[in-house]
Amino acid sequence: MPPTTTTTDQRPNVHEMVVVHRVFRRELSALPRLVRRVVAGDAARAALVAEHLELILDGLHMHHTGEDAVLWPLLHLRAAPAAALVDTMERQHEQVDARTEQVRTLATAWARTPTALAGEQLAQLVEDLAAALFEHLDLEEREILPLVARHVTVEEWQSLGEHGRDEMTFKQLPLMFGAILEDADDAERDHLLGQLPVVVRLVLRTLGARQYRRYITRVRAA
């Protein structure tokens, strides 16, 4: 039978999730402004902003599917007194997923025909998604991460990161890592990169970092 808690010196570093959450908070707060700044008819600029929105939504989807596959079943099994809380997290995922699909659908149409009306509708949908997501992230950091530290092993926790890396495309990998590392401090950056193979770590620190800087500069250009 799997252990019900982790030992003191083998607890997962749950702060990693806080670092990842910063990306969604930062980018989904900025994206409505980016959408609204696109001039009607500027299909090239709309396509770039929509592509960035898609990258963030893909990252969120990978993040949540990993939790659905790993965290919620483990916490239901090992932290039974918190079952109602875990149920709430699962329902919030469903609500976020529904809003995400609405955003994806409108973003595709807007990128193809970037009218002012469609842009404003998209910006408002992203704001609605962000509000629902941020409520979820706040609850997760406040209530779920302490449970994870007690009831999830290091290996199980690491499988979440592996899930995300396995799901990312070759193009997405340096961009998502660049986004995660952008606001990380030195200790957070060294910890996250230290979990990767040496070759991957080297690429992300050099070619990947330059690729991300070029990409995000274009996205945030006025």
Side-chain angles (χ1 to χ4, degrees), residues 64-112:
H64 278 182
T65 55
E67 292 176 338
D68 292 339
V70 178
L71 285 192
W72 310 147
L74 288 174
L75 292 179
H76 272 303
L77 177 65
R78 300 176 187 169
L85 172 61
V86 179
D87 288 341
T88 296
M89 303 302 290
E90 292 177 305
R91 286 195 301 272
Q92 288 179 340
H93 271 201
E94 293 172 358
Q95 294 164 0
V96 168
D97 288 346
R99 285 175 168 81
T100 297
E101 289 311 307
Q102 292 175 333
V103 170
R104 287 187 189 275
T105 298
L106 186 52
T108 299
W110 172 72
R112 188 167 51 244

Side-chain angles (χ1 to χ4, degrees), residues 185-200:
D185 63 28
D186 290 342
E188 292 166 342
R189 185 177 294 107
D190 290 345
H191 172 76
L192 291 169
L193 289 171
Q195 300 179 69
L196 303 174
V198 173
V199 174
V200 175

